[in-house]
């Protein structure tokens, strides 16, 4: 390989999966639903986020709770932290948020800090209209260790961008929990830049809302970085939950591991999981694995699951993906019931079992109980619905 | 038949049971009139060639949804078993040790056992004695205590799965147990351990056992009161343990031929 070719390779090449972004709203045509990136999304239910809905709502309250040493600031449009993750909007909604966000804030964890409890940002929606847009930048300084929890509750129409900058050698866990009321619409874009030898864990828990679509993307600022993306979702009747992931292996010796698990129940429950991984030519010696599993609990649900792996170098340690969507396993239910366990209890055990290893991997003790309660709540709905059949 | 007769003593009674399984193009009859009575305190062995319907019988008693009972009856202490759901049957006192125990990912053995015990008793077991009981049951089947934290049957070896079934038998302590080839895939030491577990179970008052097997070797450790030869979906011959010796010596040929004419 010549030096020139090498240098060219360092340029951002265009992935066929991911067009180059742009900050200009007008560079992004209003989607029609035929575009690859929009074909699964019920545009009509986005309340105009993708067209021209006014985004200046203030119907989302923010509450911040952070251990000492962590700075949480409201920031202005011109603040240099905006865009510092390398984030460039790849669709119209993200570009609109960039320009029109009514709230911009930064969470900064200083270098070498080791937080003894998570930073918790709770965004509470109080009204569906007008829509609201927020832009957040979370920066974990070099060699810091921190967990940041973003919780979304209440009713709102929200478009948000979240940038995450993980400094060299830092360990950052960001947990996003969509625990919205049934009528919320949330389109989120999250982008992480992972420093040299840094470890970034993104946990995306989506339960509530009527339409939730999250684009979660990561790139590497240096070699040795690790990305772990975990997702847990539960779609009920009529609910659309969509996750679009893109891990861009832009540096050698980096790792990514993606596991998303979801359960679906009720008429019209729809989940979409798109897992894109691009291994660039420079990204030698990398390892990647992505996995999506769906458990379909009732008739009338649809789970779309599309893993995509683009490999531009053969010099890698490993790359793989898996995707499986299955119904309740009758043999498992029979086995449990043959021991006297009633059907609804047996179903609960199987679903808990399905999510269990994932919940364990989230590994944020403060959240474990809350997550277990939320799964329980979702299951209670299912069981009530089942009993009514 | 529904009138409780004076002799509705403790027994599992199978009367002229016909069972079909759905195949791609038809309902295929597998059990063709099985009649068998196991009184409390008795151990019956069923022996028969591959595919003769032994597991079908076991699953039908337990209520597996794959099988459809087209006629006949199964009663336990006079109660209509076929009218019960799978879990009701277990709560009525039936237990099936499966030929192929099912893996349940993410559900720990200890959670599973506690949930089952709670369902059977209608109340949660007392924590302190329960933990001890579980550890003892596992230990007696030569399963170390770490099995409690593992997912049910996941990654268990064939023999471990079988021993886990018998540990459950002892902990859940039903009235009647159907053991479907619990002996196959066990080495001689494991076979003895499993047999000891079954013997502890049936050493209690009034327990019934239906033991399905291909091999007489387990019958040396668990001595049956009756042996039945099962061929082509029904009981072809019944006798004492001498029948097992005869089968060992001469095989099923004679019965298979008789059944196919
Ligand atoms: N879904 C099915 N479709 C067609 N045939 C089936 C189906 N399920 C079971 N059978 C058949 O029913 C018959 C009885 O099976 P069963 O498992 O009860 O036999 P078995 O006596 O337990 O055999 P083994 O000794 O091998 O355990 C077999 O011929 C089997 O192929
Ligand atoms: Mg069998």
């Amino acid at each position: 390989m010549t030096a020139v070719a090498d240098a060219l390779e360092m340029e951002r090449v265009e992935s066929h999966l991911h067009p180059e972004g742009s900050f200009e709203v007008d560079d992004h045509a209003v989607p029609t639903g035929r575009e690859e990136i929009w074909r699964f999304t019920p545009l009509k239910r986005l309340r105009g986020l993708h067209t021209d809905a006014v985004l200046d709502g203030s119907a989302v309250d923010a509450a911040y709770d952070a251990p000492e040493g962590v700075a949480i600031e409201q920031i202005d449009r011109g603040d240099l932290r905006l865009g510092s993750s390398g984030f460039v909007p790849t669709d119209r909604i993200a570009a609109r948020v960039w320009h029109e966000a009514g709230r911009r804030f930064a969470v900064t964890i200083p270098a070498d800090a080791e937080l003894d409890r998570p930073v918790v940002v709770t965004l509470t929606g109080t009204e569906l209209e007008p829509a609201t847009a927020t832009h957040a930048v979370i920066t974990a300084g070099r060699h810091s260790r921190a967990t940041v929890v973003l919780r979304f509750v209440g009713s709102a129409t929200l478009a948000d961008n979240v940038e995450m900058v993980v400094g060299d050698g830092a360990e950052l866990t960001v947990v996003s929990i969509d625990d919205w009321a049934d009528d919320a619409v949330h389109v989120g874009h999250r982008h992480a830049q992972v420093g040299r030898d840094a470890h970034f864990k993104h946990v995306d828990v989506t339960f509530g809302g009527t339409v939730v679509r999250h684009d979660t993307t990561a790139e590497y600022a240096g070699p040795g970085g690790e990305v772990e993306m975990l997702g847990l979702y539960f779609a009920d009747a009529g609910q659309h939950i969509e996750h679009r992931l893109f891990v861009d292996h832009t540096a050698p010796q980096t790792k990514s591991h993606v596991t998303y698990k979801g359960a679906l129940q009720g008429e019209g429950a729809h989940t979409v999981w798109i897992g894109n991984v691009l291994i660039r030519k420079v990204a030698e010696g990398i390892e990647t694995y992505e996995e999506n599993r769906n458990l379909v609990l009732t008739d009338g649900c649809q789970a779309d699951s599309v893993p995509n792996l683009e490999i531009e170098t053969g010099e890698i340690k490993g790359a793989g993906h898996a995707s499986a969507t299955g119904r309740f396993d009758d043999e498992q239910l029979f086995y449990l019931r043959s021991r006297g366990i009633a059907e609804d209890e047996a179903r609960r055990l199987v679903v808990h079992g399905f999510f269990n290893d994932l919940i364990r991997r989230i590994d944020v003790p403060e959240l474990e109980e809350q997550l277990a309660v939320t799964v329980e709540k979702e299951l209670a709905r299912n069981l009530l619905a089942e009993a009514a059949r | 038949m529904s009138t409780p007769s004076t002799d509705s003593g403790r027994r599992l009674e199978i009367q002229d049971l016909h069972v079909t399984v759905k195949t791609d193009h038809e309902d295929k009859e597998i059990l063709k009139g099985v009649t068998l009575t196991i009184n409390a305190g008795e151990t019956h062995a069923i022996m028969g060639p591959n595919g003769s319907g032994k597991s079908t019988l076991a699953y039908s008693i337990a209520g597996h949804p794959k099988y459809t009972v087209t006629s006949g009856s199964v009663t336990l202490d006079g109660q209509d078993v076929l009218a019960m759901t799978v879990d009701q049957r277990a709560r009525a006192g039936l237990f099936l040790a499966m030929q192929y125990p099912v893996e349940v990912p993410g559900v720990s053995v200890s959670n599973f056992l506690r949930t089952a015990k709670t369902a059977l008793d209608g109340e949660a077991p007392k924590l302190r004695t329960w933990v001890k009981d579980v550890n003892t049951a596992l230990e007696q089947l030569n399963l170390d205590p770490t099995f409690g934290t593992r997912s049910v049957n996941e990654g268990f070896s064939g023999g471990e799965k079988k021993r886990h079934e018998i540990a459950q038998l002892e902990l859940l302590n039903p009235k009647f147990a159907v053991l479907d080839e619990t002996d196959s895939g066990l080495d001689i030491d494991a076979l003895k351990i499993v047999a000891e577990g079954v013997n502890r179970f049936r050493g209690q008052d009034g327990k019934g056992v239906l033991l399905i097997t291909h091999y007489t070797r387990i019958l040396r450790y668990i001595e049956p009161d009756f042996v039945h030869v099962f061929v082509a979906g029904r009981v072809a011959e019944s006798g004492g343990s001498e029948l097992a010796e005869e089968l060992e010596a001469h095989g099923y040929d004679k019965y298979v031929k008789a059944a196919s004419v």
Side-chain angles (χ1 to χ4, degrees), chain A residues 329-343 345 349-350 352-354 356-357 360, chain B residues 59 64 85-87 90-91 95-96 98 102-103 105-107 111-112 115-116 119-120 153 165 168:
Chain A
D329 185 333
D330 285 341
E331 296 300 325
Q332 290 179 3
L333 282 184
F334 173 73
Y335 188 77
L336 296 173
R337 294 181 68 197
S338 77
R339 283 5 180 190
I341 300 170
E343 183 170 11
E345 183 74 14
L349 277 178
V350 171
H352 275 288
F354 175 73
N356 235 345
D357 58 330
R360 240 178 274 144
Chain B
Y59 278 131
H64 195 292
T85 63
V86 175
D87 42 289
R91 293 199 293 274
F95 179 89
L96 168 61
M98 292 184 205
V102 181
E103 302 188 355
V107 177
N111 187 14
F112 162 62
T115 309
L120 291 170
N153 294 323
E165 295 289 284
Q168 291 173 53

Side-chain angles (χ1 to χ4, degrees), chain B residues 129-140:
Chain B
T129 48
W130 175 245
V131 171
K132 220 182 84 213
D133 290 350
V134 170
N135 285 338
T136 308
L138 292 175
E139 229 166 79
Q140 284 177 329

Side-chain angles (χ1 to χ4, degrees), chain B residues 13-255:
Chain B
E13 199 165 1
I14 301 159
Q15 285 276 4
D16 196 27
L17 191 68
H18 290 255
V19 170
T20 60
V21 61
K22 222 180 212 48
T23 69
D24 288 340
H25 29 267
E26 45 154 16
D27 286 342
K28 183 177 167 196
E29 182 162 72
I30 312 279
L31 298 189
K32 301 170 180 168
V34 179
T35 297
L36 197 63
T37 299
I38 303 163
N39 291 302
E42 292 175 355
T43 296
H44 293 233
I46 286 188
M47 305 184 75
N50 291 128
S52 56
K54 304 182 299 299
S55 292
T56 303
L57 175 63
Y59 278 131
S60 301
I61 294 170
H64 195 292
K66 193 173 126 183
Y67 303 96
T68 310
V69 175
T70 51
S71 66
S73 69
V74 178
T75 56
L76 175 63
D77 303 349
Q79 288 175 279
D80 183 359
V81 169
L82 299 179
M84 300 179 198
T85 63
V86 175
D87 42 289
Q88 282 169 344
R89 295 177 197 207
R91 293 199 293 274
L94 286 172
F95 179 89
L96 168 61
M98 292 184 205
Q99 185 174 1
Y100 304 108
V102 181
E103 302 188 355
V104 191
V107 177
S108 71
V109 166
S110 62
N111 187 14
F112 162 62
L113 293 173
R114 189 172 0 91
T115 309
K117 186 69 175 174
T118 304
L120 291 170
D121 293 358
E123 59 176 356
K126 292 226 166 45
L127 197 62
R128 194 172 315 139
T129 48
W130 175 245
V131 171
K132 220 182 84 213
D133 290 350
V134 170
N135 285 338
T136 308
L138 292 175
E139 229 166 79
Q140 284 177 329
L141 272 302
N142 206 10
L143 297 166
D144 76 69
T146 59
F147 274 87
T149 62
R150 290 176 62 177
S151 290
V152 172
N153 294 323
E154 198 179 39
F156 290 20
S157 74
E160 285 165 352
K161 283 181 181 164
K162 297 301 179 73
R163 283 183 275 145
H164 179 221
E165 295 289 284
I166 300 308
Q168 291 173 53
L169 169 70
E170 291 201 74
L171 275 169
L172 304 180
N173 202 19
K175 294 179 189 164
F176 280 85
V178 179
L179 312 179
D180 191 0
E181 296 200 26
T182 303
D183 56 329
S184 41
L186 294 180
D187 61 38
I188 189 67
D189 293 329
L191 184 73
K192 281 186 193 160
I193 287 166
V194 159
E196 281 164 16
V198 175
N199 285 333
R200 277 191 299 272
F201 167 73
R202 67 190 193 120
Q204 305 170 93
D205 260 359
K207 304 290 185 186
V209 174
L210 179 61
L211 188 146
I212 297 169
T213 182
H214 279 288
Y215 309 104
T216 45
R217 64 171 191 167
I218 191 167
L219 303 182
R220 275 181 229 131
Y221 302 100
I222 304 172
E223 215 181 303
D225 303 299
F226 299 93
V227 174
H228 309 277
V229 185
F230 204 81
V231 179
R234 60 166 74 93
V235 175
E237 175 86 15
S238 297
S241 51
E242 76 287 345
L243 185 52
E245 303 302 328
E246 193 219 301
L247 287 172
E248 176 100 319
H250 305 292
Y252 301 115
D253 252 18
K254 167 171 127 193
Y255 303 101

Side-chain angles (χ1 to χ4, degrees), chain A residues 38 46 49 93 158-160 185-189 211-214:
Chain A
W38 291 108
L46 291 184
L49 289 175
I93 297 179
L158 174 71
D160 71 340
V185 168
H186 182 192
V187 177
H189 290 80
V211 179
V212 171
R213 173 180 153 132
H214 290 172

Side-chain angles (χ1 to χ4, degrees), chain A residues 209-223:
Chain A
T210 173
V211 179
V212 171
R213 173 180 153 132
H214 290 172
D215 280 60
T216 306
T217 56
E219 63 179 276
Y220 299 83

Side-chain angles (χ1 to χ4, degrees), chain A residues 195-382:
Chain A
R196 185 183 188 104
D197 300 325
H199 187 109
F200 172 61
K201 187 196 282 192
H202 188 263
V203 181
D204 203 346
V205 181
T206 40
F207 287 114
T210 173
V211 179
V212 171
R213 173 180 153 132
H214 290 172
D215 280 60
T216 306
T217 56
E219 63 179 276
Y220 299 83
E226 289 185 27
V227 168
E228 189 178 3
M229 289 181 178
L230 304 176
L232 195 167
Y233 50 91
F234 213 124
D236 298 311
Q239 210 179 0
H240 177 92
I241 297 180
E242 179 166 351
H243 290 286
R244 309 185 70 93
L245 312 170
F246 179 41
V247 179
D248 193 350
H249 278 275
T250 46
Q253 310 296 334
T254 51
K255 283 187 186 165
S256 62
H257 198 125
V258 177
T259 307
Y260 271 61
K261 282 188 163 190
L264 297 85
Q265 59 185 4
E267 197 59 38
H270 187 198
T271 64
V272 179
W273 180 86
I274 310 290
N276 292 328
V277 173
L278 173 60
I279 304 169
R280 293 181 190 262
K281 208 150 210 168
V282 293
E284 295 192 347
I286 68 104
E287 251 181 281
T288 176
Y289 187 74
E290 47 168 355
E291 179 184 6
N292 175 227
R293 305 215 177 263
N294 294 296
L295 182 60
V296 175
L297 305 181
T298 66
D299 291 334
C301 308
Q302 166 132 359
D304 290 297
S305 179
V306 188
N308 279 313
L309 193 55
E310 255 181 57
I311 306 182
E312 294 175 351
T313 171
E315 303 296 310
I316 58 172
K317 271 211 194 105
H321 56 69
S323 159
T325 296
R327 298 190 64 90
F328 246 126
D329 185 333
D330 285 341
E331 296 300 325
Q332 290 179 3
L333 282 184
F334 173 73
Y335 188 77
L336 296 173
R337 294 181 68 197
S338 77
R339 283 5 180 190
I341 300 170
E343 183 170 11
D344 54 356
E345 183 74 14
R347 284 173 167 268
R348 283 179 36 186
L349 277 178
V350 171
V351 176
H352 275 288
F354 175 73
F355 284 126
N356 235 345
D357 58 330
L358 190 75
I359 289 178
R360 240 178 274 144
R361 274 169 62 194
I362 293 173
D363 197 27
V364 180
E366 290 86 347
L367 290 180
E368 248 163 54
E369 198 182 313
Q370 193 194 325
L371 286 176
V373 169
T374 313
V375 170
E376 203 55 52
K377 236 172 44 193
E378 289 290 332
L379 276 169
R381 286 185 183 213
N382 172 45

